[in-house]
Amino acid sequence: MLKLKSFSALLAPLTLASMMSLGDIVVNSFLSEIQNTAIAAPEMTVQQKIDIITKSKGQIGSGDQLRRFFYGDLLPLGVQPGGAGMVVNLYNKANDITFSYCATYDVVVAVKKGKVTAFLPSEVK
């Protein structure tokens, strides 16, 4: 006849180990779902991008915004005195808007609707 006392001594550690393993699997499966969830911001419209650049013109880093928002879509129209020496007028054909950009300080100094080859000197200082 088997002694129940020796069997229960063996059963308790096995039960405990099994519960810990199952608990770990359950917790990790739920945590991985929570951790891998990414919330993407809605894409900005072109007008929102233009408004952001217009609002931040003259501030350092606005040139970076211009390149990020309109990468590959800007055509140089001309160079004129302004900013910290010279500014480049960049035209976006898709949105019919011209930006005046000072590379020395990486700033957009003027924004105007249409194809503008030269801004007024007061607009690009």
Side-chain angles (χ1 to χ4, degrees), residues 80-83 87 89 100 109-112 116-125:
Q80 73 179 77
V87 294
N89 298 326
S100 185
V109 292
V111 179
K112 192 178 272 188
V116 181
T117 55
F119 284 87
L120 296 174
S122 61
E123 292 179 299
V124 292
K125 59 179 175 173

Side-chain angles (χ1 to χ4, degrees), residues 49-63:
K49 293 175 183 179
I50 293 169
D51 292 341
I52 288 172
I53 292 172
T54 303
K55 189 186 294 186
S56 64
K57 70 181 180 183
Q59 296 176 8
I60 293 174
S62 59

Side-chain angles (χ1 to χ4, degrees), residues 25-45:
I25 291 170
V26 170
V27 168
N28 284 335
S29 66
F30 285 119
L31 284 179
S32 66
E33 288 180 19
I34 293 170
Q35 291 172 349
N36 292 336
T37 304
I39 300 172
E43 183 68 28
M44 286 191 287
T45 65

Side-chain angles (χ1 to χ4, degrees), residues 75-79 88-92 97-99 114-118:
L75 302 170
L77 292 179
V79 178
V88 179
N89 298 326
L90 303 166
Y91 178 67
N92 182 286
I97 193 156
T98 304
F99 302 96
K115 196 173 195 177
V116 181
T117 55

